[in-house]
Amino acid sequence: MNNILNKKFIEVAAKSGYNSDFIESYMIKKELTAKGFTFRRSALDQLLKKNSKKISDFIRDTYLPKEQKNKFAQISKILNPKKNAPKYFTENDLAFDLSHWFNSFLNGDVLVSPEYFIGDTVEIPVIGSLFGNGQVRLHKGREITKINIHPKYANCHAIESQIGSSRGYMRLFVPSKNICHLANNRFGFAQDKKSKIIWCGYIEPQSNGKYNILDKSYSTGKTYGASVENISLSWSVEIKAEYYPTFYNN
């Protein structure tokens, strides 16, 4: 699908009541967008800010003095692109040089790859926090933040752990208003129909149509107890992915 059709499709969808950001995220996930290498300036700005650096620091540290003026002009064209402008220094060239420069002084466990600056990502909301009693508190207003994620998780929301041993751990799920049978006998989120409390844990269905939410070990499968027993659910969802965010996701 070319860029003109992309924009037209999003315009029509928006007029039909769909959120344009959601439509674009869905198109990226389904690989319906035009293929091309565009430089993610927001990714660069994020890393520069995180490390108290400027683009001038990168140019000074990376290129010879006689090259710096020309490189600054070339990089400016990439960061502030104009349609059909000729390029002698490409997005891939810049991504490679930035990757090498950041890795020369970062002491993190994750290397900055060139793909970080030219890869596709989408934003999803972090809508709640998980606590040690297995309950989720939903965020309100400005408490709702966003993280960058692979396009295949574009339709997910995230819950952030506030438990000491896993502070910052993200669990991703696809929101639903129904009981998901794929979440049965798996780890997921579920809302108690009566109390409206949202629970996180191993969702165990019962023969009477009700559910237990168990505190179960991921590694051994051992059950330590039940967070809540014999409840009716408003909805349930399985956990699609979970991880500790890095600079790639913040």
Side-chain angles (χ1 to χ4, degrees):
M1 190 180 288
N2 62 39
N3 284 323
I4 295 175
L5 286 175
N6 282 350
K7 292 179 181 178
K8 192 63 179 177
F9 182 82
I10 292 173
E11 287 176 7
V12 172
K15 288 179 180 178
S16 300
Y18 291 95
N19 181 280
S20 60
D21 290 337
F22 171 80
I23 293 297
E24 189 167 9
S25 296
Y26 179 84
M27 292 171 69
I28 292 173
K29 179 184 177 183
K30 297 298 183 180
E31 299 184 347
L32 297 175
T33 54
K35 302 302 178 184
F37 292 100
T38 56
F39 191 87
R40 294 177 57 225
R41 179 168 182 172
S42 60
L44 172 60
D45 290 342
Q46 177 180 292
L47 273 185
L48 289 173
K49 182 178 180 180
K50 186 179 182 69
N51 293 282
S52 301
K53 297 285 187 179
K54 298 180 179 179
I55 196 67
S56 57
D57 297 322
F58 160 68
I59 294 173
R60 185 183 63 250
D61 294 344
T62 305
Y63 306 109
L64 296 173
K66 63 181 181 180
E67 299 177 315
Q68 291 177 7
K69 184 176 180 180
N70 187 43
K71 287 298 181 187
F72 184 84
Q74 292 175 332
I75 291 170
S76 293
K77 288 181 180 179
I78 292 175
L79 298 183
N80 305 284
K82 293 183 179 180
K83 189 176 181 180
N84 299 324
K87 296 177 183 177
Y88 306 101
F89 183 72
T90 68
E91 289 89 347
N92 286 340
D93 295 327
L94 178 57
F96 181 84
D97 289 348
L98 283 168
S99 171
H100 180 78
W101 179 63
F102 277 111
N103 288 327
S104 70
F105 61 81
L106 287 177
N107 296 317
D109 295 329
V110 180
L111 292 176
V112 181
S113 69
E115 289 78 11
Y116 171 65
F117 299 104
I118 56 176
D120 283 331
T121 63
V122 296
E123 285 188 331
I124 64 170
V126 182
I127 65 158
S129 294
L130 172 64
F131 294 88
N133 60 358
Q135 296 182 13
V136 172
R137 181 182 71 82
L138 294 179
H139 294 169
K140 298 179 180 178
R142 294 183 179 180
E143 290 182 314
I144 299 175
T145 57
K146 291 188 176 182
I147 55 174
N148 295 317
I149 201 71
H150 190 281
K152 69 180 179 180
Y153 298 118
N155 59 342
C156 286
H157 288 175
I159 298 291
E160 180 181 6
S161 174
Q162 298 295 335
I163 302 169
S165 59
S166 59
R167 174 71 174 85
Y169 198 65
M170 296 288 181
R171 293 176 171 86
L172 276 54
F173 67 97
V174 178
S176 175
K177 294 181 180 180
N178 302 308
I179 295 173
C180 175
H181 295 292
L182 292 176
N184 290 348
N185 293 308
R186 291 187 177 182
F187 290 95
F189 296 101
Q191 185 182 55
D192 183 342
K193 182 181 288 187
K194 183 178 180 180
S195 68
K196 305 304 180 185
I197 293 173
I198 298 174
W199 295 92
C200 177
Y202 188 87
I203 302 172
E204 182 183 61
Q206 303 297 298
S207 60
N208 62 0
K210 296 188 177 183
Y211 294 81
N212 298 334
I213 309 298
L214 304 180
D215 180 7
K216 187 183 284 284
S217 170
Y218 268 80
S219 57
T220 66
K222 180 180 178 181
T223 300
Y224 295 106
S227 299
V228 64
E229 294 180 299
N230 205 39
I231 61 172
S232 297
L233 300 182
S234 298
W235 55 261
S236 63
V237 293
E238 62 178 325
I239 293 172
K240 293 291 187 180
E242 46 192 319
Y243 64 97
Y244 281 106
T246 66
F247 61 85
Y248 283 91
N249 315 110
N250 295 328

